[in-house]
Amino acid sequence: MMKYFPGFRILFLLLVFFTLSGAKPVRVIGGRLYRHAGSVAREMGTGYFSSKTTLYLARGKEYFSFRPERADFRFDNVSVSGSLPVRRYGKSYYISAIDVNSVLRPLFQPGTSARRHSLRRIILDPGHGGFDRGASGKRIIEKRFVLNIAKRAAEILRKCGYEVILTRKSDFLVPLNQRSAFANRYRGDIFVSLHCNSSTDRRAAGIETYCLTPAGAASTNQKKSVNTSFPGNAFDANNFLLAFEIQKSMLARTKGADRGVRRGRFAVLRSLKMPGVLLEMGFLSNNAEEQKLLTPACQEQICRAIAIGIINYHRRIYKIR
């Protein structure tokens, strides 16, 4: 993200927003509802500034940046996958209404979209198990690795005063639909599913955290929008905030590559009756990343990052009125 000298930063923050003459606050572009970036900035109470290639919304030390014709954003040095590309219409820029509601509003105005809720019971979901080994590297098998991480993260969270329940405590398979049913049955306040990644591209590396795709949007790795709404979509704003705080914490503690907060319609997230996310902690197909994940120091950093991300989410929603 662009760095500013102190004097320029002051000037930047004094620019509340600008709106070009004749620009409409709302437009339908490609059959989808879009909102003028300057109008959104005014509503969010942020400054609005554009360079040749990038647009910025800023408030205090918080900076949100995005580029025309792309659906990837950055906030507080964390990558965020939007639902639809930012569009240019004439000399004005427009952000999809879906992204205003599911990304910008939770970040800048959480009280208008996210819910303040109790957070006492956490459901940790170690992926795979039993005959489903998950991804495999040269030395790490996903099902074992994520179970160990879940157990250690649970210990840290319990010391912080939370109740933590695991969907599995040993090496057996829990079917995907039973994982969310388990979380619902035990009335969890949040759900975090733990996984490791793999790719045919051995260079692929980094951390990514998924939340459920909003209805009417395309998932990160898909082009087609889906209008179906699932029970988990009732928590879209909280899902995003939880994913954001965990991704931010993981990056800060592990120094892993940022693959961003992403959107997906994973089976374990669709039927949840609470905010939930799916964390991919790294690529076992990448030799260097697997070697890093093997170290006790990295594993400890991951466990603490998960706990800190959850605690920071708790602090964020606690401020909601």
Side-chain angles (χ1 to χ4, degrees), residues 180-199:
S180 55
F182 176 96
N184 293 337
R185 183 168 66 253
Y186 281 92
R187 298 181 181 276
D189 294 312
I190 61 169
F191 173 92
V192 180
S193 190
L194 303 176
H195 292 262
C196 292
N197 228 328
S198 183
S199 174

Side-chain angles (χ1 to χ4, degrees), residues 58-98:
R59 185 176 63 194
K61 296 181 180 180
E62 299 176 323
Y63 293 90
F64 183 91
S65 64
F66 49 98
R67 296 183 180 183
E69 307 306 322
R70 295 179 61 171
D72 55 306
F73 312 128
R74 287 191 70 79
F75 182 82
D76 209 2
N77 290 322
V78 177
S79 297
V80 175
S81 292
S83 299
L84 293 168
V86 173
R87 296 298 189 191
R88 181 171 181 171
Y89 195 94
K91 295 183 178 180
S92 298
Y93 296 98
Y94 289 82
I95 307 170
S96 74
I98 288 179

Side-chain angles (χ1 to χ4, degrees), residues 135-142 145 197 202 204-205 282-295 298-299:
S136 295
K138 292 182 177 180
R139 294 179 59 186
I140 294 178
I141 297 175
E142 182 181 1
F145 184 84
N197 228 328
R202 300 286 181 175
F283 281 77
L284 301 185
S285 52
N286 182 300
N287 291 334
E289 191 141 273
E290 183 190 21
Q291 289 300 315
K292 180 180 177 181
L293 291 172
L294 277 168
T295 64
C298 180
Q299 293 174 24

Side-chain angles (χ1 to χ4, degrees), residues 28-59:
V28 176
I29 304 174
R32 308 306 294 265
L33 186 64
Y34 276 77
R35 298 191 56 195
H36 186 272
S39 176
V40 172
R42 178 171 57 180
E43 180 181 319
M44 300 293 165
T46 70
Y48 173 41
F49 174 80
S50 62
S51 67
K52 291 182 179 179
T53 60
T54 308
L55 295 92
Y56 301 91
L57 273 66
R59 185 176 63 194

Side-chain angles (χ1 to χ4, degrees), residues 1 40-41 43-46 56-66 71-83 95 97-115 211 235-249 260-263 312-313 315-317 319-320:
M1 180 172 288
V40 172
E43 180 181 319
M44 300 293 165
T46 70
Y56 301 91
L57 273 66
R59 185 176 63 194
K61 296 181 180 180
E62 299 176 323
Y63 293 90
F64 183 91
S65 64
F66 49 98
D72 55 306
F73 312 128
R74 287 191 70 79
F75 182 82
D76 209 2
N77 290 322
V78 177
S79 297
V80 175
S81 292
S83 299
I95 307 170
I98 288 179
D99 287 322
V100 171
N101 292 329
S102 65
V103 177
L104 278 167
R105 207 178 294 282
L107 290 172
F108 287 113
Q109 295 181 322
T112 65
S113 56
R115 303 180 185 184
C211 54
F235 308 95
D236 277 343
N238 290 78
N239 293 338
F240 173 78
L241 286 177
L242 178 58
F244 177 82
E245 291 296 348
I246 290 178
Q247 180 73 7
K248 180 180 176 181
S249 179
V261 175
R262 297 184 166 214
R263 310 287 186 154
N312 286 341
Y313 167 78
R315 288 172 176 166
R316 184 183 280 266
I317 63 167
K319 296 177 182 178
I320 294 173

Side-chain angles (χ1 to χ4, degrees), residues 140 145 148-149 152-153 156 250 254 281 290-306:
I140 294 178
F145 184 84
N148 290 334
I149 292 295
R152 177 63 184 126
I156 296 171
M250 285 286 292
T254 70
M281 296 177 279
E290 183 190 21
Q291 289 300 315
K292 180 180 177 181
L293 291 172
L294 277 168
T295 64
C298 180
Q299 293 174 24
E300 182 69 13
Q301 289 167 349
I302 289 172
C303 295
R304 291 188 177 278
I306 292 168

